[in-house]
Amino acid sequence: MPDLDPTTDFIAGTAAGIVGLLIAHPFDTVKVRLQNPDLSSRYHSVSHAFATIIREERFSGLYKGIASPLATCAFTNGLVFASYKFFLKAQKVDDSIPSLTEVAIAGTCCGFAMSFFSAPIELIKIRQQSMLESGLGSVSVSKLIYSIHREHGLKGLFRGLTATALRDCGYGAYFLGYEATSRYLTAPSPRLDGSTSLSDSSQGSIPLWVLFVSGGVAGVLGWLPTFPMDVVKTRMQSTEISRNTMRSEVTTGDNPYRTILSTIQHSYRTGGARVFFRGLSPTMLRAIPVNMATFAVYETVANILSS
């Protein structure tokens, strides 16, 4: 990736995030519905979930909850790329090409830092996506924030923070997959020794297909290691609204999804190991095209701004 100033990183990351979000959100809505323990039984498969949501809630139902991430996309996605570069440079004492280990460490630190911003955003998004009424959501973002804060205080907005941080550590594999693939495809000889990378190649000489392939690989590798934790996070963040406003099955006793450990234990006891991979199909379906577009837009915008 090009060595840019933080402002350029932020702007390019913002543009890439908006494009990626518009492509990804329908798949994300289906993923959340399949992972939500109160809603998953309504859908037999990914295609059935898509068809049911469109039939019952119109096409706009697939974009429920998009307001929260879209409103903050300019901040969060730009911050992802800017913070990744910050942690990458923090490990360097010279201008040498970062090793793949340094890339993975920078990505992991970036994901951990970003979780403090993404946890409340995802909480609001998931709760809107879990509403079955037609339209983009019957409860606005401001009303949801007010309701959560009134009942649980500020900590209520950070429900699932630890699970979000553990999931977002997948940015290490995400950036590693992108950099390793791009180095492999642009190296004079096919090897992963770090001898060639996008950061020291001429931007004009990098074919678009290299950006597409590298982005697709990054999307898959970024999700696979941490997907079970994404299921845990979604269950923790979605059950509270079901309990209070949707006549959830959780009506008496303690919420079994109150902590990471209790969520893992209850989920495994009731659904087996495969429950931790619910929603994997729509996630993989979106990961490749979304991240192909994300990195292509990032590199293109960064090249324009730095030229």
Side-chain angles (χ1 to χ4, degrees), residues 185-198:
L185 295 176
T186 58
S189 58
R191 60 182 184 274
L192 292 175
D193 59 359
S195 60
T196 303
S197 73
L198 293 181

Side-chain angles (χ1 to χ4, degrees), residues 35 55 77 88-89 112 116 218 221 247 268 289 293 297 306:
Q35 290 178 345
R55 183 179 68 252
N77 209 77
L88 201 59
K89 291 178 181 179
F112 179 80
F116 291 91
L221 293 184
R247 297 180 182 177
Y268 181 78
V297 171
S306 59

Side-chain angles (χ1 to χ4, degrees), residues 207-240:
L208 189 61
W209 69 268
V210 173
L211 302 180
F212 282 158
V213 173
S214 300
V217 171
V220 172
L221 293 184
W223 272 110
L224 283 179
T226 59
F227 190 82
M229 187 54 61
D230 182 68
V231 176
V232 172
K233 180 194 74 70
T234 299
R235 290 190 158 214
M236 291 180 66
Q237 293 183 323
S238 65
T239 49
E240 211 168 66

Side-chain angles (χ1 to χ4, degrees), residues 29-50:
T29 298
V30 170
K31 174 184 75 71
V32 167
R33 294 288 181 90
L34 292 174
Q35 290 178 345
N36 189 325
D38 297 309
L39 300 177
S40 59
S41 60
R42 294 174 53 88
Y43 312 110
H44 308 311
S45 64
V46 173
S47 58
H48 180 254
F50 270 107

